[in-house]
Amino acid sequence: MAEEKKREGLQKKVESYLRRWNMIERGEHIVAGISGGADSVCLLFVLLSLQKTMGIRVTAVHVNHMLRGEAADADERFVEELCRQQNVPCRVFRIDVAKEAEKRKCSQEEAGREVRREAMRKVMVEEHADKIAFAHHQDDNAETVIMNLCRGSRVKGMRGILPVFGELIHPLLCVGKAEIEAALKEQGIPWRIDATNLEDAYTRNRIRNRVMKELNEINPGTAEHISRMAEKMSELWEYMEAETGTYIKECVKETDGGKLIRKAELERVPKVFREEVIRSVLCEVCAGEKNLRAVHVQDIHGLMEKQPGRSLSLPYGVRALRTYEGVLIQKKEKMGEQLEKKPEIGFKMQVFDRREGEKWPDTPYTKWFDYDIIKGRLVMRTRREGDYITVTADGKRQTLKKFFINQKVPAGKRDEIPLIADGNEIVWIVGYRQNKAYQITERTVKIVQIEIYGGEKNGRDN
């Protein structure tokens, strides 16, 4: 009876957890990852009990990573025989994880996780199944939280392993490793032991074999307590995510093929949400999160305090640029695409004698200048070091850089603005301003008319 009580107790605990998270519906088809270890064997028998009470179907998937030679092959045979005895369909995949890790440029541990999930999703699609079940338990969850904490994770990482994530479910997160092994032992159910789990080659193994061992000596309920905390952090994150979405609407706008985080609006956001706003925007522009770190978010936050024009490079080919309004985050290739799409800009000149009463052109992209004042050959170009413009009738000069700053021209646009230049003196900043020294006066004899064609027109000349 004691054996029955332990097994029944674990089953009831898991079924209560399933109902709480609405993990499995009656009659669903579940794809279960079965490695042959105690956790996955326990998961298989839990699902087999549900097969009787809820009419679910179970398909097992075993992935041989081809890393442990005969031991891995023995695991494969064990799972196939166990599934045969229980009349459970079993799909086996043999994948060289060492080669996959090299090809994917990641660790074998990470490659192993990826190929397992890919194999299970493949079976799910082919079998028209409803869910994918993994055998992670409380101890795994505690290890995950500690790993994330060590890596500098925020609230999101403190959630640990989620009970339900899309089609992925974790029915055993409510029970610990000791409970699982005790239930199997008392029922006489065998399992395989992976000797590499006792080694410290992987980060998770070091946490399991060293850190968790020490913590359990302090309090045997450590894993359970960490798992409960992870659930609370999950609830907190749901609230934070919803609030972050509200703040994003208030302080972020689409512009220039990217997203502009406006400084003034961001400063009105409660401090605890500011980095979440930045992170969310960065993840969306990057279309990925794997290579993003806390330092990237902090760098963008720090860029808000820099002068306009400062920038920094980020993963996924993304650049953050400090503008007058805040920080613009955009893909570098997007910037290139925009430049390529702009129509070609050109200009044409016409020189003629001044005639009394002649009407000046009233258009921002056709201008008259005093031809006799021109010292060299007029050219159209973009800015370069040493450029300046005369801004007052009495000859006061201003560097082109200072002019752009005063006019709050975004740094990313300054190299795109066409200039009509006479050496280093700018005769006309097209779309913005004419040089006062070249303007027509009562002493003007010859006029040069310059007409700009192509490009984008903004009519800002003054």
Side-chain angles (χ1 to χ4, degrees):
M1 287 297 294
E3 294 176 2
E4 288 295 318
K5 286 182 180 178
K6 273 198 177 290
R7 171 71 184 279
E8 288 173 4
L10 184 143
Q11 184 73 29
K12 287 178 181 177
K13 195 172 181 180
V14 171
E15 288 182 8
S16 175
Y17 190 68
L18 293 174
R19 287 192 297 273
R20 178 185 168 197
W21 290 99
N22 194 29
M23 282 194 200
I24 298 176
E25 299 288 341
R26 182 173 294 276
E28 284 190 326
H29 186 176
I30 310 299
V31 174
I34 310 298
S35 66
D39 317 331
S40 63
V41 170
C42 179
L43 173 65
L44 178 62
F45 280 91
V46 164
L47 294 176
L48 288 175
S49 293
L50 294 175
Q51 197 170 46
K52 298 172 185 175
T53 59
M54 296 182 65
I56 68 169
R57 293 171 55 203
V58 181
T59 296
V61 172
H62 177 81
V63 180
N64 184 338
H65 292 176
M66 302 173 66
L67 291 174
R68 296 180 295 116
E70 173 54 30
D73 294 341
D75 290 348
E76 180 183 320
R77 293 192 295 271
F78 171 82
V79 171
E80 286 183 309
E81 177 59 22
L82 178 64
C83 290
R84 186 191 65 77
Q85 292 173 3
Q86 301 300 323
N87 197 30
V88 174
C90 181
R91 296 277 299 272
V92 174
F93 293 81
R94 298 175 64 85
I95 302 172
D96 191 331
V97 167
K99 287 184 179 178
E100 286 296 318
E102 186 177 348
K103 183 169 69 176
R104 301 177 190 223
K105 294 180 172 56
C106 64
S107 68
Q108 291 184 6
E109 188 178 16
E110 187 176 350
R113 283 196 301 271
E114 290 179 359
V115 300
R116 280 196 301 273
R117 294 200 177 194
E118 288 166 7
M120 294 178 75
R121 281 199 169 96
K122 174 180 171 64
V123 173
M124 179 183 175
V125 171
E126 293 176 353
E127 299 290 336
H128 304 288
D130 301 290
K131 305 279 176 60
I132 294 174
F134 289 99
H136 298 104
H137 47 72
Q138 275 183 353
D139 299 70
D140 294 322
N141 201 11
E143 292 161 12
T144 299
V145 170
I146 292 172
M147 284 176 66
N148 291 345
L149 184 62
C150 292
R151 291 168 176 166
S153 184
R154 62 202 198 285
V155 173
K156 186 178 180 181
M158 295 301 97
R159 301 176 304 162
I161 302 170
L162 299 181
V164 178
F165 186 68
E167 75 274 13
L168 308 181
I169 61 174
H170 297 90
L172 303 185
L173 279 184
C174 59
V175 295
K177 181 78 168 180
E179 291 178 81
I180 290 170
E181 292 186 351
L184 293 180
K185 282 179 181 177
E186 291 179 358
Q187 290 295 305
I189 299 172
W191 69 85
R192 295 283 297 173
I193 296 176
D194 184 349
T196 61
N197 287 336
L198 305 176
E199 302 170 357
D200 290 341
Y202 298 134
T203 301
R204 182 176 289 275
N205 286 7
R206 292 202 296 275
I207 290 174
R208 178 181 301 144
N209 301 331
R210 299 182 189 180
V211 179
M212 288 302 297
K213 180 181 178 182
E214 292 292 330
L215 292 176
N216 283 324
E217 287 183 6
I218 296 172
N219 185 346
T222 292
E224 183 179 357
H225 296 323
I226 293 177
S227 291
R228 285 179 182 171
M229 183 275 293
E231 285 191 15
K232 291 297 180 185
M233 298 302 276
S234 186
E235 293 172 4
L236 175 61
W237 174 250
E238 285 182 17
Y239 165 74
M240 290 186 66
E241 198 168 29
E243 287 295 292
T244 299
T246 300
Y247 291 126
I248 286 174
K249 291 177 183 177
E250 294 176 1
C251 62
V252 179
K253 70 176 183 180
E254 301 275 350
T255 179
D256 292 328
K259 292 183 179 292
L260 176 67
I261 305 173
R262 294 176 288 188
K263 185 176 188 292
E265 286 77 2
L266 185 68
E267 288 177 345
R268 290 196 288 269
V269 171
K271 189 175 180 181
V272 69
F273 289 100
R274 289 176 196 170
E275 288 195 354
E276 292 303 333
V277 167
I278 294 172
R279 185 184 296 274
S280 295
V281 173
L282 182 57
C283 289
E284 188 172 347
V285 176
C286 290
E289 190 173 1
K290 179 180 173 183
N291 296 325
L292 298 179
R293 300 289 181 266
V295 66
H296 298 132
V297 176
Q298 292 162 8
D299 286 346
I300 293 173
H301 200 257
L303 190 61
M304 287 282 181
E305 305 307 318
K306 305 291 185 182
Q307 292 182 339
R310 299 290 293 274
S311 66
L312 58 91
S313 293
L314 299 162
Y316 300 99
V318 168
R319 185 182 77 153
L321 172 68
R322 178 68 166 97
T323 69
Y324 288 98
E325 283 189 84
V327 172
L328 175 65
I329 302 175
Q330 63 183 168
K331 286 274 191 180
K332 292 177 182 175
E333 62 265 25
K334 197 76 175 177
M335 295 163 55
E337 288 172 11
Q338 291 170 358
L339 290 176
E340 288 171 10
K341 290 177 181 177
K342 288 184 179 177
E344 184 179 351
I345 300 173
F347 78 109
K348 50 189 176 183
M349 296 190 303
Q350 180 183 357
V351 179
F352 51 86
D353 293 331
R354 181 179 180 183
R355 295 181 289 271
E356 289 297 327
E358 192 158 21
K359 187 177 180 181
W360 290 20
D362 185 20
T363 166
Y365 289 89
T366 301
K367 299 295 182 185
W368 284 3
F369 300 90
D370 191 324
Y371 180 75
D372 295 319
I373 295 175
I374 297 171
K375 298 179 283 294
R377 182 173 65 90
L378 294 182
V379 297
M380 175 180 279
R381 60 173 175 80
T382 54
R383 65 171 179 163
R384 68 189 186 195
E385 190 70 28
D387 284 346
Y388 65 92
I389 185 170
T390 302
V391 294
T392 63
D394 60 1
K396 183 179 179 181
R397 293 179 175 183
Q398 191 176 81
T399 65
L400 193 60
K401 179 178 180 180
K402 188 171 183 180
F403 172 83
F404 283 148
I405 291 173
N406 290 344
Q407 292 293 312
K408 293 183 168 48
V409 178
K413 289 186 172 295
R414 295 174 191 173
D415 289 328
E416 304 171 21
I417 296 172
L419 309 170
I420 301 298
D422 182 10
N424 277 117
E425 185 161 13
I426 305 304
V427 176
W428 183 16
I429 304 172
V430 179
Y432 287 86
R433 187 162 189 164
Q434 291 176 257
N435 188 314
K436 286 287 185 180
Y438 288 77
Q439 288 191 333
I440 296 169
T441 68
E442 64 276 3
R443 296 189 298 273
T444 299
V445 177
K446 286 186 178 294
I447 294 173
V448 57
Q449 175 178 291
I450 303 177
E451 181 182 351
I452 303 296
Y453 58 85
E456 298 177 354
K457 305 187 185 307
N458 57 28
R460 289 189 53 189
D461 272 85
N462 50 48

